[in-house]
Amino acid sequence: MKLSQKLTKEQLDPHFLKWDRIAVDLAKLHSQRDKRAKDAIQEGLKVYTHLLAHCRDALKDEEFEPLNGSERLSFVEDSAGTYAAYRQLDKLFAELKKTIARKRIELKRLTK
């Protein structure tokens, strides 16, 4: 299987859709100052790390991540119940999506 076939929309969209659902729940939980936000962040972290592992495996690049991704991920893990952690994880998902799109374009150009 070619690298670009492992980074298809069909393979990656379920992760982003799952995050979108979690993010909606997190926004509600934070607006209500609900302590269950920490559990929702943990669920979002699982989705993010699974998606990141899939991308790294597909690209055969263990360094693949958004800018300062590991430091930002550590922040989210350390302060999981906070609104700042939720926003940071949301930004990590958005940047990962952009980074994947950029990689798809690079791979497409290389195969031409």
Side-chain angles (χ1 to χ4, degrees):
M1 183 180 289
K2 291 174 18 181
L3 294 179
S4 59
Q5 291 174 326
K6 291 184 178 182
L7 291 177
T8 63
K9 232 175 140 75
E10 293 78 24
Q11 288 187 334
L12 302 178
D13 271 358
H15 298 288
F16 289 110
L17 292 172
K18 193 177 224 182
W19 168 247
D20 289 343
R21 286 191 298 274
I22 294 169
V24 168
D25 291 342
L26 272 167
K28 286 180 191 174
L29 291 170
H30 278 295
S31 70
Q32 299 167 352
R33 305 215 186 278
D34 194 319
K35 299 291 182 201
R36 291 176 295 169
K38 187 172 186 173
D39 296 333
I41 285 277
Q42 295 298 335
E43 189 178 344
L45 279 168
K46 286 178 190 174
V47 173
Y48 180 81
T49 54
H50 186 265
L51 176 60
L52 188 60
H54 175 83
C55 292
R56 286 176 173 172
D57 181 52
L59 295 168
K60 311 265 187 273
D61 180 3
E62 286 302 312
E63 303 296 315
F64 178 79
E65 67 182 18
L67 186 64
N68 299 328
S70 42
E71 293 89 358
R72 294 161 67 192
L73 191 58
S74 292
F75 169 77
V76 174
E77 292 168 342
D78 293 343
S79 55
T82 66
Y83 182 75
Y86 154 61
R87 295 299 303 146
Q88 193 61 242
L89 188 55
D90 192 46
K91 296 292 183 193
L92 279 169
F93 269 99
E95 288 178 32
L96 186 58
K97 195 173 211 175
K98 290 177 192 174
T99 307
I100 291 168
R102 194 170 32 253
K103 273 293 183 191
R104 280 189 195 138
I105 291 169
E106 288 174 16
L107 290 170
K108 198 172 189 176
R109 286 183 182 158
L110 287 174
T111 57
K112 284 186 178 181

